[in-house]
Amino acid sequence: MNINVISIFPGAMETILSMGTMGIAAKKSLAGYRVVDLRDFAKDNYGSVDDVPYGGGGGMVMMVEPICDAVRSLGLREGSPVILMSPAGRMFDQALAHRFAAADELTFVCGRYKGVDERVRELVATDEVSIGNFVLSGGELAAAVCIEAVVRLLDNVLGNEESRDTDSFSERRKHILDCAYYTRPVEFNGLRVPDVLLSGNHKEIQKWRENSSLERTRARRPDLLANGARES
Ligand code: SAM
């Protein structure tokens, strides 16, 4: 998969993309990253990519022309996803991560300042995506969140795909959280690992894990169970 990121902080973005799962995917040649410095598409000699908003008010607005030129410079195939990071976008979730993971190329546009000229949405963005009901100062970290969630779904990126496939929100666990996990030591500060996990009885362990998943979901995210019931 090719992943392009358009940003005014290309160096920071490259560092983020070299980390953890995203870095592993690149090393295994399963994902290739192209980071585009938006300032290369500025129309003046100062590298300006933002201007004051028409109508006044505080904050600067990212200009439409450099962003459109940066996207067009990538020579994307017709319909290739161009994802504008925005608090006003569709909420990112595992279903969207799966949809993006099926594409062969993704392009993320990172806003800054007060936001992005509205015409970017109309001219080049195919998707507008938010990572939550809060406001960051820029789209870089938001894009990185999406990229990591997508890349870990690509075949052969993770060492242990069984682990991924039992994660919360995975295809198998759409409406249920993952179970509780323990590792050594068996006892710490008076808290003991449940005996069944030490028993070696795989059937009983499986039963315990299913129950743990259900209890955790009931306690923390009953909305997921309600959604599951509605859909079935
Ligand atoms: N004025 C905008 C608003 O209230 O919707 C916020 C602009 S924010 C300060 C600057 C940029 O950060 C946005 O253009 C977007 O690219 C990115 N951003 C901020 N919060 C985000 C979020 N929750 N999800 C995705 N991108 C976000």
Side-chain angles (χ1 to χ4, degrees):
M1 166 180 277
N2 293 320
I3 298 180
N4 311 306
V5 182
I6 298 172
S7 163
I8 59 167
F9 292 116
M13 207 60 223
E14 270 159 15
T15 303
I16 295 170
L17 294 171
S18 70
M19 284 168 30
T21 309
M22 294 179 283
I24 291 168
K27 280 199 192 101
K28 290 185 174 175
S29 302
L30 299 168
Y33 306 117
R34 226 175 349 165
V35 181
V36 177
D37 185 350
L38 185 61
R39 294 199 191 282
D40 290 345
F41 295 87
K43 301 298 158 211
D44 63 15
N45 294 331
Y46 307 103
S48 310
V49 291
D50 58 298
D51 208 337
V52 294
Y54 280 121
M60 300 294 275
V61 176
M62 295 189 80
M63 290 186 283
V64 59
E65 204 177 350
I67 294 180
C68 287
D69 287 352
V71 171
R72 287 175 184 143
S73 77
L74 295 166
L76 301 175
R77 222 180 6 83
E78 181 70 30
S80 178
V82 176
I83 303 146
L84 175 64
M85 301 315 301
S86 158
R90 167 182 169 180
M91 201 66 80
F92 188 69
D93 61 10
Q94 197 67 10
L96 195 50
H98 277 283
R99 199 188 101 202
F100 286 158
D104 50 17
E105 184 155 26
L106 297 173
T107 299
F108 292 86
V109 178
C110 305
R112 283 261 148 195
Y113 314 117
K114 188 65 182 154
V116 171
D117 188 305
E118 189 65 20
R119 289 165 290 188
V120 169
R121 288 169 181 80
E122 292 160 36
L123 292 171
V124 288
T126 60
D127 297 88
E128 195 178 353
V129 169
S130 166
I131 62 158
N133 292 336
F134 45 80
V135 175
L136 302 166
S137 293
E140 286 77 8
L141 295 178
V145 165
C146 299
I147 294 168
E148 180 156 292
V150 167
V151 157
R152 69 197 303 284
L153 295 177
L154 302 178
D155 287 341
N156 304 319
V157 168
L158 296 181
N160 184 342
E161 287 176 9
E162 193 203 327
S163 157
R164 177 193 73 189
D165 295 342
T166 55
D167 281 340
S168 308
F169 316 117
S170 61
E171 290 286 87
R172 272 203 251 160
R173 291 176 171 268
K174 257 188 210 152
H175 302 293
I176 195 156
L177 300 175
D178 202 353
C179 61
Y181 290 98
Y182 298 87
T183 185
R184 284 182 289 186
V186 168
E187 192 164 334
F188 183 71
N189 282 11
L191 294 179
R192 220 184 121 72
V193 174
D195 285 336
V196 61
L197 298 179
L198 309 171
S199 69
N201 183 333
H202 294 295
K203 214 166 142 200
E204 285 304 308
I205 292 173
Q206 191 48 32
K207 239 165 59 192
W208 182 91
R209 287 190 164 151
E210 276 162 24
N211 199 40
S212 162
S213 279
L214 201 55
E215 272 177 15
R216 283 154 68 88
T217 314
R218 269 197 202 116
R220 299 174 196 187
R221 294 293 307 274
D223 57 303
L224 293 178
L225 294 174
N227 286 347
R230 254 197 303 278
E231 279 175 30
S232 60

